[in-house]
Amino acid sequence: MWKLFFQNNAAVLDQALLEYSSMNPNIGNPAMPQILDAIEEVKINNFTNAQLNNVGFINDWFQKRLRPFLASPSSNFLSCLSSKNFSCQTYQTVIAALNSQSTSMNTEQQQLIFTQFIYPFLSRNDSTDPGCVSNTSGSTDWLQRNFGVFSVFAELSELQVLNPGFSSMESFSALTPDQVAQWALSSGALNDTNDINLVFKRLDEGNAFQNVDQFLTQLTADAEIPDILPAVRDVMMNLTFSIISPEFQRFKRLDWIVWFGVKLTPILPSFNGVMLTNATSYVNCTNYQVIVKGMSDAFPKMTPDRREEIAMVMLNYLKRSIQLINGPACTQGIQNDADWLEINLGLFSQYVSYSDLTHFNISGLAVLDILSPNQRAELILDPMNLSNESLVQEVLLSVLGSADIGEIGLFFQAFVNTAAMTNLTSIEPGLRNTLLNLTLTALAPKLKALDAQGFKFWFQVYLQLLLPGIQPGTFSVIPRNISCDSFSAIIKGCDNVVTQLSQMQSQEVFTFIMNYLTGQLVGGFSCVNTVTNDSDWLESYLGQFRIYATYVDFVILKSDFNGVKVADLLTPTQLAQLAIIPSQLKGAQDVNKIMAYIIPADFGLFYDILSPAIQKNQNNYTKEVKSAFLQVVFDSADLSSTAINDTEFLLWLTVRLNPLLVNLSSSQVTPLFKILIDRDCNSSQQTISLLDELRSTLTEETQSEIYSNTVLLLTEPTPLRCYVNGSFYSFLKSTFLDFGFPDLSVLLTLMPDTRQTELLNSITLPELSQFLSQPGIIDNSSDICVLFNDYSKTPEFLEIENVPDAVKPLILPCVWPLALESSNTLNVDAWFDLSLKKYLRFLTKSLISSSEVQNASCLAFQKLVSILGSDFNYSTSNFGPSDVYSSIKTYLVTGPQPKCYIASDPDLNSTAWFVNYIGVFVTYLSLDDLNTFLTTSQFNIFVENQANIQLFNNTAIAANVISYYITQLYTVDPTFNPMQLPGSFLCQVPSTAYNSLSQNNSVDILNRFQQFCNGTDNPQIFAALVSNLQNITANIITMLGNAITGLSTNQIASISTSTLVSSLSTLGSVSGWNQGQAIVVVQTIISGGFQISNASTLIALGTLIGGVPSAIITSVSATELLATSQNPGFITNLLAAPEILQATYISKIITVGQSQNAFIVNVPDAMATQIPRVLLTSFQDTVDVQAINRKTWTQNQAVVFFSFEVSNATISPEELSPFVLQGFTCTAAGSMQSELIRSLVHACRPRIQRQKVVLIETQLTCMYNLLKSNLSQNFTDYPSEMLLYYNYSIVEQSNCRSYFTAVGSADFTVLSRVLNKDTLLLNNAKSCLGIRGMSLSKDNVEVLGNMLCIVNGSYIQSSDPFILEKLKNCQDFTVSQANAMETLLLSGTTQYGNTSTWNEQTLVNLGILPLYLSSNFWSLFTSNVKRTFLQYFMPQLRNNGTVGTKLMALFQQVNKITRSRREAGCTIGNITQSTIADAAFPFGYTATQFDLCLNTSVLINNLAAVTGKVDDVTFQAVILAKLNQAYPSGIVDEQLQILGSVSRVATLDDITKWRITSIDTLSALMNPKNGPWEAAQSNAIIMIYLNTSGNSLGSFELNAIGSNLCSLDISVLQTITPDSLRNANSLNVTSCSTEQKRTLYNIGKTAFNTQRTSVATTYYHLISSYLGGAPIEDIRSLATQNVSMDIATFLSLDITVVTNLTVSEVKGLMGINVDDLKTFENTSVVKAWEAQQPQSELDTLGIGLTGGREALIVTPNPNISSSTNGITKSPVPATATVMPLLNTTINNGIGDGGQLLGKDMRAFSLCLALLTIILQLTSG
């Protein structure tokens, strides 16, 4: 019926099904399968292969038309469907449709889909993509796409068959518990805890109990229980238990049986006591017995500890349920006690104590056979049973009856343990003897099988309680052939109970020992193989029973027995037997061992016997042995006791110890002398005399000890013991005899403090000299000071007596203070010239140190300076002149100043102060020291002293000291004639001193200057001296050298042409010409007829080349110019010349050569920047890429040829020069392999001793975009600036410090402000480094590096002062930052110290920072300090290209001068050549004074020098005003060329009078280094130039004008030829109007047309700067040419063009750089473009742009319902998305789908009919 119905309405069936689907949810109905089968026959079977492979087509059918029917597919429908030729994509669409209806299916229907459709389709072997794997992104994705929810019906093996690469781990969360179990069994997961944790993590999802049930059911499906690693099994059991235990309360008996009998079987051995406690909390006795049965099955695989733990839980359960467990319900099937144990405890009963079993009325004898050894032992040792001998014997016999001695041993082990736990230490003797007898009798046949360890257990453990029952015959059962170790084990067992044995029993043991050991005797040794020494042998085989043996017994049984070694084990009787044998005593150790067992009371008798024996057998006793016997006497005989009188002591000394005193050892001297302490002087002296007689037998060490002890005898018990009177020195000589003499330290210690002076002065001068001349007599240098402090004849001794040189350095420190304290000339001379004459050469650094000499008298100090500054030999001393100066410095700053100068004191009123108190050490004098020694007024007292002047005539003296000296000299006497000064002074003489000299004197000074000043370049002095020259000859020019640069232009012009030409070699070698001077020299020689027409004349000009007009270069032939390129000096000079000169030169060079690329070789490497870009676009294959790599390029040049250079280079990217690498662009990278790109980026990283690769922002973002998917954490592999654009989230936290350290090397000025990355980077850095607030530690500062350049002032003020050092690397500062730096400096907490200590060096040390500091800072320095610093600082700033605005700001802050009165005239001083030559000029002048003091003629004659130093606009206005006065009709070219930044203050009126005729002048005026022009000004200048006949906007002009091009009218711009633009540099036209940009673009398009038609990327590079004027069609054309436009160029496009570009067009245009749209999303251009794009299209970029316009949303009114033909449609909520239709033609109100609407009514009727039928079927 359905088939027929559908066939009849086939024409509209598609639309009807679609309408029906939109109106109806899924309907479950028995007729649905038939409807679906019918549709399949009518429609699906007719689908073509193309339709079956069309995703959109299949989606429409299965997701829309068939959706209501898919919940009821028949088996036939699915089977047929599996045979269709779906593509994998369309198959997956069908699965998605079925998946969406799965909730309306029952399980059988779902499984049918898998078995009838999914598996058959995916397993087809006719598919191009078997299993539909290729279009999926992993196993999980594969499951979801190809199976949907139906994957649960697949076996894991089926999945692996369909997809061999299927990863269970990846798709774990999608696997069912059954599949997980299959995976666990096949993957090895049962041996891996990590895997099993993953398994249970999956099982824990959803219904965990059900999942675990399925998992374990599958795991135990096979009869063979899987073997699981114990550690894994523990994890499984723990995790399983945590899931199933909550269900225990709901378990029925069958559940307990199934779980504990089947499901838990593999993991039950890991079931622990806690789990069992939990489980048994909910069970009755029968279920408990089920658990016991399951646990017993798992018993074999449990550990002993686990078994015991389980047993305890079971026991607790039984005790808790004792009433219930013995009830009828729980005792079914139990016949006896054995049955009860098996059912209720199973195999765990053996882990329960016997006492616990008695709680359940278990009879021990009844279950004796199944009791464990522990339980049997406990049964016997029960106090109630122990007295029952028959019971004990019955139990013991039941044990002893075992054939297994090991099993018997277990019982005895338990027996011992149980006895120990019950504190049972003995057994009734009768029972004990019986038990021992029974046991040994039973063991007798088994003992031969025991090894030593076995005997140990039995006799030392098991039988310990029974062994005290030893009887005669006990040991008869012991086999005599047991090993020695086994025998030893028996003896040690007996040893353990020896205290419990009677003497008879001990003798029985000893008899057993002797019998056994005698039987083992072989070759004089018995049982010696397993022992290490005699002690071990005694204890092992005789034990404590050895006391019954004689010493002879030991030797018989062990012939090498050494009694000494076991003396501690021998009895006194045995030691006595040993001591009389000398051969047994090998040394002192043997003696000590023996004597340790003899008490002192027996020493007298012992030595009365021993000494004769030693005397008799002298040769048999060693010295060591005899010494040892002597030492024992000293240690233990107590001979120092008062009970022994001197007579008895002498008896000991001369008789008993006589043979022992020979060769007395050093260690025994002190014990001997201790005995002498309380004897009288005679006894002591006799002892020393006796020892002196034996001295030949004594070692030096012993004699030394005798000396030391003699010293002690002289002081103890009272000082000066035995001394009466006379020379103390003679007394000591007689006391010590030949045992030595006290050194000085000892000598002093022998003298009581009260008598020290007396005793010292008792020594005569010769005796003292003799004493001090003895080697080593002075041990402590301080002692000799004590001697000479108390010795009354010290000066006489020093002068008369002579001592060794080694002693003199020791004496000198003691007498040195006496010399320094002398305060009159006579005493000073006596000390230094007489007493110390022999000693002064031994002066040390310490003696001349400030601490030693600071209290010296002035005369003594003066004498010392004189001596140390004349003939003193420093090569043999430990100090040098610098050390002397250090002491001088300290001395001179101590006390009132000037130190040692008193005008009224004839001894101290000499003005030769520097000579007297500093002398030759003046070379170490610093200016700070000088200012510390003397105030300025004090200094001036000495400055004119001729001796001082000659002293300072030393080139080794610091320059600033000489400068200060000279300054003060001329302050005191401004008229001092420099001709009278030493040559070295001339270098520092104020230039004003030279102003009035004659020409001859000036020449003389210049000659001396060159001789003495070592080439020092002092422009001021040069200018002052040369200004005196009126007649300048060739000789004078030669003599002047570099000083000639001090000439004014009028002086140069006055020199004859012939003189200049003849001196050209000299003039050309001079460095330092300014542009004005060079122009005048060149003009002068040209006007005199000198022709500059070839290479030689150009080279001859040398450093004057900069003064040559470019027109002359143009006139020289190209081949001549090429010849100059080979001269390095010429090229160096040309590089210093004006830019236009260089450009003109290169423009000629590039015309030479036959080949197209000859210019690459011809152009000097350093001048390659002048090559037009267009020439770099067409390199031939033969070009030398190495030559390209050697040259200097601009970034705009490098981008043009970068692709060629990289692709043709024979060197690695690492070797590419920084100038080549700066050409990296995404345009070039588009054609490169990723590895090459990575290498190029890596080559751009910062490298030591390698110039930095300077990259702009667009290059950096390009690099980042190219690499961001594969960036490493080794941040130093990348350019530092590229790191600024990193996505910080990819930086691993452990590496963040490394990241910010690398970022700290970056130049943060590359960042566009619109990106706002500064704040983000800083915040991330603070988070990484743990920075709280704004205080940065030194470590933070080290890491952050250049990031500190972006922090605000609050950070600077709050951070470690080290921040200042890092800030020196910054390129600029905000006002806030500068103020903060200044505040920090002024705080005095930085390394620069307190402001009061600041000087010129402080300013130098601050590096670049003073450039930004305010007048508040500068006010802390004197004018002289500031001037001197500026003379150093300003040239440095100018050489570094510091912008004029900064220089002006610096000048205004440093030069801030407050004037309190009106200035009527020049008060500071007229400005002269010399003034202007000062590098600090015009420091010190106000604008008014500058005007009043600057003569116009001086200005004109030194114009270049003035304009090169004046940066303040008010001063510049003065200059221009004076020039206007001098040139009322207008300033000429030559002057205009050297105006510099002064030109920028000109008004339009001023400019209109200027004469600008040459390109040189135009280029000079347009130089951007001199500051920007206002548009009107630049327009006026350019037009003046263009209005000169022959001038036009050529390439030179365009390069010179640069961005000022935008000041020109359209009509003027239109005169630019394509050729001019083509050969010009890339021009900056950002400030041009739209119309101007269009004009320039049109010219550029024509200019680069050749490249446009050949290489699109090259054309793009050339035209990019002009694209702001390009129409949309040209931009769209570029979008198709893979140019990867950078974001900067994109932002420069006409906004109307940008907003009309589509997303796809922009994507094509920007290529790799498209990600930058997100980076620069906040720019107005990107925002405007975003706003015009549909958001859905922006989303296709995948970069997160969200500013697009949203799609229109139309939502029907849900309250509207319609009725047709009596059938009511329920309202169906719907949402329709209406997207903008581009280029769509609307006909009759509809789009392309309009052809369907003609059949709307019919389709609608069919839809309603279908609905009616289905509703009827449903209701039926």
Side-chain angles (χ1 to χ4, degrees), residues 420-461:
M421 286 188 292
T422 57
N423 294 319
L424 180 67
T425 57
S426 63
I427 300 176
E428 190 276 323
L431 178 60
R432 179 191 66 197
N433 296 346
T434 300
L435 294 178
L436 178 62
N437 184 47
L438 286 173
T439 302
L440 288 177
T441 301
L443 289 177
K446 301 180 178 68
L447 289 178
K448 62 184 177 182
L450 292 179
D451 57 10
Q453 191 67 19
F455 277 101
K456 177 179 179 180
F457 277 123
W458 277 102
F459 283 87
Q460 295 178 36
V461 181

